[in-house]
Amino acid sequence: TTKTSITVTPSATPPASSRTTSTIGTTTEKSTPPSTSPVPVTTSEVTEIASTTPMVTETSGPMTTTAVRTTPIRPTTITTTTTSGPSSTESTPSSTVSLPSVSTSPMPVTTSGTTPTESLTTTRGTTSSKITTVIATTTKIVSPGSTATSGPTTTSSAVTTTGSESWWLCECIKAVCIEDNKVEIIPVVCNPPPKPTCTNGLSPVQVIDDDGCCWHWECDCYCTGWGDPHYMTFDGLYYSYQGNCTYVLVEEINKKVDNFGVYIDNYHCDVRDVVSCPRTLIVRHETQEVRLITAKPNTLQVEVTVNKQAVALPYKKFGLSIYESGINRVVEIPELKMNVTYNGLSFSIRMPYSLFGNNTQGQCGTCNNNTADDCMLPNGDIVKNCETMADHWQVLDPSKPECSPGLVPTNAPSTTPVQPCEQSEICKLLLGSVFKPCHEFVQPERYYAACVFDSCVLPSLDLECSSLQIYAATCADQGVCIDWRSHTDGVCSYECPAGKEYRACGPTKEITCKSSQQNETSTKQVEGCFCPNGTMLFDSSVDVCVKTCGCVGVDMIPREFGDRFTVDCQDCICLEGGRGIVCEPHECPKQDKKCDGEGFYEVNEVNSEDPCCPLITCKCNTSLCTSKPPKCSLGFEIQSRIPSGQCCPVYDCVPKRVCVHQNAEFLPNSSVFVDKCQNCFCTNEVNVSTQLNIISCEKIPCDISCQPGYELQPVKGECCGRCVQTKCVIRTVTNSNIILSPGEFKNDPNNNCTIYSCVNLHNQFISSTSEITCPAFNEDSCKPGTITFLPNGCCKTCAPLESPTPCSVRQRADFIVYKGCRSVDRVIMTECEGSCGTISLYSAEANSLDHSCSCCRESKAIMKDVVLRCPNGHSISHKYIYVESCSCQDTDCHISQSREMQSREESDKEDTLNRIKRAISLASK
């Protein structure tokens, strides 16, 4: 190291208008990394300024020094040193500048803090050295017009430091205060550190140091899970666990982030409850809870909710973003430099070691590049079996009351198939040539073991595909693309929606019309469905592939700028700039159509020419009609007809052209049962008055003749009837028959002294024969010519010489008076008058007198009308009896005439009975 010192000595105080300038005479060049040439360090010009002169800053190189002078007191020396490292054989000159001291009022000095010293292996160009670096210590002087600095920035004005303190002059150049106002300028030179080996089998990543100058290697915290399910911890420890509760995947041991954690909800995906599958992945960060839910078991269909509300992707809010990346749904927290992916069959969690190293716990283990402590329990104890550890990380889930956090299982669950299983052909792909390019980056053995387990335990679910999928995704993360699905004979195929094509290796974030290829810096790839070549995604929130970036509306149809179209009955145009699509309501022509008439109503029909403007048409709905169909009688049916231009039907009862009998209808030419004594059938002839067909019948012929005294009468249930006795049949002494009806008397045609009679007692016809016994008669006692027969025609008697007046009708004219009213004129009235025979004969057989009485009485009479005039002037019609003929009629001699008129019928009956009794008595004798 070569040092050059220049001392500036102040002279007497100059006048206010004069100024003294001292210029550094030696300039040293410093090599710029990564070259090995000397590092140029230029010392700025130092100017003495009067106390009233404002602060002046002059710059001539990468390092800027600002000085403010008030009253010169004593010289100050700044030593600039450029070091190339111990291995360098070249010397670098340095400059020491002696500046006049600045006398100021007392100023407080503030230090922002000191970071502990650490030894770093850095690389900068081809010249390297092991350098002990002190992380920035910033000194602040709080005074009017002063500024404080921290880190690799320009030094502040009027800095006063003590020995061993340092600060950043500019990017990767540090100033160190040595002593006696000497400052050493030290550029930071980085040597590449050795590349470590990550226990999880992944490549380490480069991380910039806190000073922003050098970088170092770190093993990211990368945890995965797949299948039923299988886990790979942050440090690469593989195990399987079939719990069906909700568990902690990762939480912080020392809580630095508010409400942070990743959790998994498993369920038994086998009816035997042998194995489990992931159902929901839960990510919590501060006020948000993201749930990635498998929409359909064992598929890549995933639904996303935030705080139990479904959201559309991409989603970005409160420092958290969710988007689609190939087949995955990704939850990213940029502040924590972490992301969580899930696709329904597998998940992965990536977190930076710099923020989460040695500060994770859960089923993903502790991220410290050491598998020995991955099976850590919540109390900090380490167990040998991670399956046992996994059960201890249950969390309270109200939807799973059967799960009890903190319950310790008695035995560790088995993750080995009980029975030997034949090796799956799909699993063999992991060890074969398909995945061989990735074997040197990611070891396939653990994924193969998981694949075999899934194919043996659940051969029907094709879960072995998840092992190949997660292995291919891990390979892609390491920069190795494997197109493996085409080798599974369709078992693990993936179907893309229309308009997209499957790619095994596509960009994590697809190029859209609102992004560009230049903005995409990530080289990682994922499998999924992407837009075909020659097209691009319109927008991350509009899943439509377009050839040119125009507009995409709610109908998801791409359009070019200037296109006019109609969507949702809005007339729209695609414009470049602004909102893109500008719409206004679609106007329809007016329609003056009214639906009049009963049953009609208006209907809007789709217009084929303009779907947004429906056509108003009149439709008929008969349910709106008020007229009801009538009830037709038998033989008639309802016939409806709709007159032209009307909606409601008109009903008529029309004949069916059938016959009707006893509430039944009969078709023409069919037999009709009227009764069993007739053969009837329905004819085609129509009765004009009834409009019904006529029933034609023919009687069944009967050959039945009845004896005298009997009549043919119908009998229910019989066609021809039967002979029923209706009269008495009396056999005379001459063997002739006399037929008498009940109550009838008749003399023997050969003997008037014999009388026959008939009576019906309780449907029994009884005939009787009566003999008249004549009293003793001496013809000699009669005058000649006076012998005659009595009225009975049997006995003789002597007739009187003078013949009395015979019984006849006599007329007389007189007024008829009734209830005070009298006929206007005399009315011809008739009456019976004359003598009739009355005898009393002794009957020796009866030993009694037989009385025979007859009186002259009407034998035929009619009723006639006459008009009577009343005293009040009114007239009434009155009926009276007019006798047309008179005759002598037998009557009881002991019954008065007035009483005989009231009970003539009873007398006749009694007389008949007496005669019968007498006849019976005679017959018995």
Side-chain angles (χ1 to χ4, degrees):
T1 301
T2 303
K3 295 183 180 180
T4 303
S5 299
I6 300 177
T7 303
V8 179
T9 303
S11 59
T13 303
S17 59
S18 64
R19 53 194 298 252
T20 303
T21 303
S22 300
T23 304
I24 299 175
T26 304
T27 301
T28 306
E29 292 185 353
K30 167 188 169 185
S31 61
T32 302
S35 67
T36 57
S37 59
V39 179
V41 179
T42 304
T43 305
S44 63
E45 181 181 22
V46 181
T47 306
E48 291 186 3
I49 307 173
S51 59
T52 58
T53 306
M55 180 177 66
V56 177
T57 302
E58 296 182 5
T59 304
S60 63
M63 181 181 69
T64 301
T65 303
T66 303
V68 178
R69 179 177 182 276
T70 55
T71 305
I73 300 177
R74 61 185 180 87
T76 301
T77 303
I78 299 178
T79 303
T80 301
T81 305
T82 301
T83 305
S84 61
S87 61
S88 176
T89 58
E90 296 183 7
S91 62
T92 303
S94 64
S95 300
T96 301
V97 181
S98 180
L99 297 178
S101 300
V102 179
S103 176
T104 61
S105 58
M107 298 181 183
V109 178
T110 303
T111 305
S112 64
T114 303
T115 303
T117 303
E118 58 179 324
S119 178
L120 299 176
T121 303
T122 60
T123 301
R124 178 79 64 141
T126 58
T127 304
S128 63
S129 63
K130 183 85 171 193
I131 302 176
T132 301
T133 305
V134 179
I135 307 301
T137 300
T138 304
T139 303
K140 299 180 181 179
I141 301 177
V142 182
S143 62
S146 66
T147 59
T149 60
S150 175
T153 57
T154 304
T155 58
S156 62
S157 62
V159 178
T160 303
T161 60
T162 59
S164 301
E165 291 189 5
S166 62
W167 65 95
W168 293 98
L169 290 178
C170 58
E171 190 172 328
C172 297
I173 297 179
K174 182 181 291 185
V176 180
C177 177
I178 301 176
E179 60 181 356
D180 296 333
N181 293 327
K182 292 182 180 179
V183 177
E184 185 177 15
I185 306 301
I186 306 174
V188 178
V189 181
C190 302
N191 286 329
K195 189 175 184 180
T197 300
C198 298
T199 58
N200 57 16
L202 304 181
S203 299
V205 295
Q206 295 180 0
V207 180
I208 301 298
D209 292 343
D210 292 339
D211 58 14
C213 295
C214 301
W215 58 268
H216 61 280
W217 295 106
E218 285 184 2
C219 293
D220 270 351
C221 307
Y222 189 70
C223 175
T224 58
W226 70 94
D228 56 349
H230 310 284
Y231 293 90
M232 197 82 75
T233 66
F234 287 132
D235 297 332
L237 181 63
Y238 167 78
Y239 70 95
S240 298
Y241 176 66
Q242 277 74 43
N244 68 324
C245 297
T246 303
Y247 304 92
V248 176
L249 286 178
V250 57
E251 284 183 346
E252 289 185 302
I253 299 175
N254 300 317
K255 309 300 181 183
K256 298 180 181 179
V257 181
D258 185 28
N259 190 32
F260 170 76
V262 183
Y263 310 87
I264 190 169
D265 172 17
N266 291 338
Y267 75 103
H268 283 311
C269 51
D270 178 37
V271 293
R272 300 168 296 171
D273 293 344
V274 176
V275 295
S276 301
C277 296
R279 175 165 54 193
T280 304
L281 205 68
I282 305 167
V283 181
R284 291 177 182 168
H285 178 244
E286 295 181 349
T287 61
Q288 301 189 91
E289 179 183 278
V290 180
R291 287 180 175 262
L292 308 177
I293 306 168
T294 304
K296 186 178 180 181
N298 303 321
T299 64
L300 299 178
Q301 301 177 18
V302 177
E303 297 175 350
V304 182
T305 66
V306 177
N307 294 337
K308 298 183 180 180
Q309 295 292 328
V311 297
L313 302 186
Y315 172 90
K316 189 173 184 180
K317 191 175 183 181
F318 298 147
L320 182 145
S321 63
I322 311 170
Y323 57 90
E324 294 183 17
S325 179
I327 63 174
N328 301 311
R329 305 296 185 273
V330 181
V331 180
E332 192 174 81
I333 306 176
E335 177 188 3
L336 303 180
K337 302 177 183 179
M338 69 162 292
N339 64 65
V340 178
T341 66
Y342 184 66
N343 54 36
L345 296 178
S346 62
F347 71 87
S348 67
I349 304 172
R350 179 182 291 275
M351 302 192 301
Y353 179 86
S354 58
L355 297 180
F356 294 94
N358 289 298
N359 195 31
T360 63
Q361 61 180 356
Q363 290 185 342
C364 282
T366 305
C367 179
N368 59 2
N369 207 30
N370 183 6
T371 59
D373 57 357
D374 279 359
C375 302
M376 184 176 70
L377 303 181
N379 60 6
D381 294 341
I382 308 298
V383 295
K384 295 181 180 180
N385 192 309
C386 277
E387 288 83 359
T388 302
M389 171 272 295
D391 225 349
H392 286 75
W393 288 104
Q394 289 187 30
V395 295
L396 184 63
D397 189 346
S399 65
K400 294 185 175 182
E402 70 276 8
C403 298
S404 301
L407 181 64
V408 180
T410 55
N411 297 315
S414 173
T415 58
T416 305
V418 177
Q419 298 179 355
C421 174
E422 184 180 355
Q423 187 179 18
S424 171
E425 294 297 326
I426 293 180
C427 297
K428 291 179 182 179
L429 296 175
L430 287 168
L431 305 179
S433 59
V434 175
F435 286 94
K436 186 176 181 180
C438 185
H439 289 174
E440 62 176 306
F441 297 95
V442 182
Q443 296 299 319
E445 287 76 13
R446 290 170 292 189
Y447 301 93
Y448 175 76
C451 180
V452 172
F453 178 85
D454 291 345
S455 65
C456 291
V457 178
L458 296 174
S460 61
L461 295 183
D462 297 331
L463 279 181
E464 57 265 33
C465 297
S466 63
S467 295
L468 278 69
Q469 177 182 296
I470 192 66
Y471 182 67
T474 306
C475 293
D477 183 78
Q478 298 300 302
V480 181
C481 176
I482 304 295
D483 188 0
W484 59 278
R485 292 188 184 269
S486 59
H487 298 276
T488 61
D489 295 332
V491 176
C492 303
S493 61
Y494 185 74
E495 297 294 332
C496 288
K500 288 198 171 186
E501 61 184 17
Y502 171 79
R503 293 181 196 168
C505 301
T508 56
K509 290 187 178 180
E510 200 169 357
I511 300 174
T512 68
C513 290
K514 297 184 180 180
S515 66
S516 62
Q517 183 69 43
Q518 289 75 18
N519 295 336
E520 182 59 44
T521 59
S522 174
T523 59
K524 294 184 179 181
Q525 294 179 314
V526 294
E527 69 166 330
C529 298
F530 301 92
C531 291
N533 292 330
T535 64
M536 68 173 61
L537 195 65
F538 181 78
D539 188 18
S540 57
S541 60
V542 181
D543 193 16
V544 176
C545 298
V546 297
K547 293 182 179 180
T548 58
C549 293
C551 305
V552 175
V554 294
D555 56 356
M556 306 302 286
I557 299 176
R559 293 179 172 86
E560 296 184 2
F561 294 123
D563 287 352
R564 294 183 179 272
F565 57 96
T566 300
V567 60
D568 288 343
C569 296
Q570 297 275 323
D571 293 332
C572 305
I573 183 173
C574 175
L575 299 176
E576 186 173 5
R579 292 178 297 173
I581 297 178
V582 177
C583 300
E584 59 184 12
H586 183 73
E587 294 185 0
C588 298
K590 293 184 179 180
Q591 301 183 54
D592 298 330
K593 187 169 185 179
K594 294 183 179 180
C595 296
D596 297 327
E598 186 181 15
F600 287 108
Y601 66 100
E602 292 183 0
V603 174
N604 292 333
E605 290 188 344
V606 177
N607 187 352
S608 59
E609 298 179 357
D610 190 353
C612 294
C613 297
L615 296 175
I616 299 178
T617 58
C618 294
K619 290 290 185 180
C620 174
N621 185 358
T622 55
S623 63
L624 301 177
C625 298
T626 57
S627 59
K628 302 297 181 182
K631 186 176 181 180
C632 297
S633 57
L634 281 175
F636 293 86
E637 61 184 352
I638 296 175
Q639 187 178 71
S640 63
R641 55 187 176 85
I642 299 177
S644 178
Q646 295 185 16
C647 170
C648 296
V650 176
Y651 301 101
D652 297 313
C653 289
V654 297
K656 294 183 180 180
R657 302 302 178 193
V658 295
C659 298
V660 175
H661 177 69
Q662 293 184 348
N663 295 326
E665 295 179 349
F666 299 89
L667 295 174
N669 300 321
S670 62
S671 61
V672 180
F673 180 79
V674 176
D675 57 53
K676 65 180 183 179
C677 300
Q678 298 183 84
N679 290 326
C680 303
F681 67 96
C682 181
T683 67
N684 288 310
E685 297 180 15
V686 178
N687 188 323
V688 179
S689 60
T690 63
Q691 295 296 310
L692 297 175
N693 287 24
I694 298 174
I695 298 176
S696 176
C697 296
E698 294 180 356
K699 281 192 174 183
I700 297 175
C702 295
D703 187 12
I704 298 177
S705 60
C706 296
Q707 296 178 359
Y710 290 81
E711 292 181 1
L712 186 64
Q713 292 184 354
V715 179
K716 187 177 181 180
E718 295 183 9
C719 294
C720 297
R722 59 185 176 186
C723 294
V724 179
Q725 186 178 2
T726 59
K727 297 180 180 181
C728 295
V729 180
I730 303 173
R731 191 78 170 173
T732 66
V733 293
T734 58
N735 294 326
S736 62
N737 292 329
I738 295 178
I739 308 300
L740 297 179
S741 298
E744 185 182 1
F745 299 90
K746 191 173 184 180
N747 295 91
D748 190 302
N750 298 319
N751 184 8
N752 284 335
C753 293
T754 302
I755 299 174
Y756 301 103
S757 64
C758 179
V759 66
N760 185 357
L761 292 178
H762 305 294
N763 292 328
Q764 294 292 327
F765 290 90
I766 301 173
S767 63
S768 62
T769 302
S770 303
E771 295 289 341
I772 300 175
T773 302
C774 296
F777 174 70
N778 186 1
E779 294 181 359
D780 293 338
S781 61
C782 295
K783 294 179 178 182
T786 59
I787 299 174
T788 184
F789 285 95
L790 292 174
N792 57 19
C794 173
C795 298
K796 293 179 179 181
T797 185
C798 294
L801 294 176
E802 294 181 2
S803 176
T805 302
C807 179
S808 60
V809 177
R810 185 173 66 89
Q811 294 183 348
R812 63 183 178 91
D814 200 355
F815 292 98
I816 294 178
V817 180
Y818 179 74
K819 291 184 178 182
C821 300
R822 194 183 76 164
S823 60
V824 178
D825 300 320
R826 293 181 182 272
V827 179
I828 299 299
M829 295 181 290
T830 59
E831 55 188 17
C832 293
E833 187 180 48
S835 60
C836 294
T838 300
I839 61 173
S840 294
L841 298 177
Y842 173 79
S843 173
E845 295 181 1
N847 194 21
S848 63
L849 290 176
D850 185 15
H851 302 282
S852 176
C853 298
S854 62
C855 63
C856 184
R857 57 190 299 179
E858 72 276 7
S859 58
K860 183 178 181 182
I862 61 174
M863 301 295 292
K864 284 190 174 184
D865 295 329
V866 63
V867 178
L868 304 181
R869 182 70 54 84
C870 298
N872 57 5
H874 294 287
S875 298
I876 61 173
S877 177
H878 177 68
K879 292 182 182 291
Y880 70 98
I881 300 175
Y882 182 85
V883 178
E884 291 184 340
S885 64
C886 299
S887 64
C888 292
Q889 298 181 21
D890 292 340
T891 182
D892 290 338
C893 295
H894 61 279
I895 300 176
S896 63
Q897 187 70 22
S898 60
R899 188 176 179 186
E900 182 183 1
M901 293 292 292
Q902 297 177 2
S903 57
R904 182 175 56 183
E905 184 177 358
E906 295 179 1
S907 299
D908 291 340
K909 289 183 179 180
E910 289 179 359
D911 186 53
T912 302
L913 290 174
N914 289 332
R915 289 176 179 274
I916 292 171
K917 291 177 181 180
R918 187 169 63 249
I920 293 173
S921 175
L922 292 174
S924 62
K925 291 180 179 181

